Amino acid sequence: MIEKILHMPLQPYREAAYALRVIQTRGRHTGQLRRTPIAVVQLSGAHYLVAPNRQRQWVKNLLASGECYVHGEEKAPSRTFLVEGEEAARVIRTYLSVLDLPFATEAFPFGAGDSLETIVPHTVHTAVFRLEPAEGEGEAAFDPAVEV
């Protein structure tokens, strides 16, 4: 899947939709570069990464480092900010409404049609990261040409 995404034309971001990307993180224990295929959701002009829980390895790596490289984006890494509450609930609801992959959507304990009030309490267990441009080079320089 990673190679397929890397070799297809870059999908444009669209509001309340997602674009497939590959993120590159640095392993929190090994320091090795890791690639993960992911849907990047755009909502209110911001870009987000979503996971149904915080136990995924890429999530743990982002929690440890606070940054990732998004292939097809700028050379500098993106800073990642874990968000919870209503902001996260709006992103998750959007993600669930546009993603047509049952294996991904069924991992959440609620559906796209549920209210924000239903989703908000779960955001302390889910992972929603807002991506923002990093200042300078960042402490963990990423080289998009590096094969991992």
Side-chain angles (χ1 to χ4, degrees):
M1 182 65 154
I2 291 172
E3 291 304 315
K4 179 180 178 182
I5 295 170
L6 290 175
H7 290 97
M8 66 187 207
L10 202 60
Q11 294 179 334
Y13 288 115
R14 295 184 343 265
E15 187 62 23
Y18 70 90
L20 292 177
R21 295 290 191 270
V22 173
I23 62 168
Q24 188 168 286
T25 59
R26 192 166 294 283
R28 65 195 176 284
H29 297 297
T30 65
Q32 294 180 338
L33 298 177
R34 306 285 186 201
R35 288 184 179 166
T36 305
I38 197 156
V40 179
V41 176
Q42 180 174 310
L43 191 61
S44 300
H47 296 149
Y48 296 90
L49 308 177
V50 178
N53 62 62
R54 297 182 186 180
Q55 301 310 307
R56 308 272 168 102
Q57 295 304 313
W58 67 266
V59 170
K60 290 179 179 183
N61 289 341
L62 285 183
L63 289 170
S65 72
E67 66 183 12
C68 68
Y69 173 78
V70 182
H71 285 269
E73 309 288 320
E74 300 179 22
K75 279 212 171 230
S78 294
R79 298 293 302 163
T80 57
F81 297 91
L82 182 68
V83 297
E84 296 177 349
E86 190 171 325
E87 180 180 4
R90 286 186 294 109
V91 173
I92 293 168
R93 190 166 66 178
T94 300
Y95 175 83
L96 292 175
S97 70
V98 297
L99 197 66
D100 189 23
L101 297 171
F103 75 88
T105 58
E106 290 171 0
F108 290 86
F110 43 79
D114 287 340
S115 69
L116 290 178
E117 293 77 21
T118 299
I119 299 171
V120 165
H122 295 280
T123 64
V124 297
H125 303 291
T126 60
V128 177
F129 293 95
R130 185 177 57 248
L131 299 174
E132 295 183 8
E135 299 291 325
E137 293 297 313
E139 52 184 74
F142 291 94
D143 182 353
V146 171
E147 292 297 321
V148 290

